[in-house]
Structures are given as structure tokens and as C-alpha cells.
Amino acid sequence: MMRVSRRQGGIVREEAAEILALHNGDALEALRTLIAERDAVEEQLAVATLVMRRQYEAEGRP
């Protein structure tokens, strides 16, 4: 698990409170949204990795 310093801990709590507020206090819906956003970011990263790999190979690099 990730360690959070005391200073960052307050920021994390504030961010969590904001996320819950955006979902009207529905923690399950907030988690669903966060997971969906994470999945979208992972997909974007996978696409970017493929594009970079193809570009790298097209330049003749091993």
C-alpha cells in the first residue's frame, strides 16, 4: 500500500471528500467512476505505448 505523508494526507482527505460530494455521498458510485477513469487512462497509455513502439521501430532502431 502507498504511504502518504501527514502533509499529503490532508490533501488526500480533501480530494476524497470532493469526490464523494460529486457523487452525493454515494461511495460505491464514486469508486465505480474512479475505476472507470483508471481503466480509460490505462487504455490511453497502452495506445500511446504501441504508437511509440511503432515509431521507434520505423526509425530502424532495435
Side-chain angles (χ1 to χ4, degrees):
M1 193 187 305
M2 183 173 55
R3 293 180 134 207
V4 178
S5 72
R6 286 185 185 170
R7 183 174 171 195
Q8 289 175 331
I11 294 169
V12 170
R13 278 190 286 282
E14 288 174 17
E15 195 171 340
E18 288 178 25
I19 292 167
L20 278 172
L22 287 171
H23 292 86
N24 298 319
D26 186 344
L28 185 57
E29 192 58 35
L31 284 172
R32 286 183 179 133
T33 299
L34 289 172
I35 290 167
E37 289 178 2
R38 182 211 56 205
D39 290 347
V41 169
E42 285 180 349
E43 185 177 331
Q44 291 173 347
L45 180 58
V47 170
T49 300
L50 287 172
V51 169
M52 290 175 63
R53 184 177 297 141
R54 287 186 180 166
Q55 186 176 18
Y56 187 78
E57 290 170 354
E59 294 175 1
R61 297 181 183 160

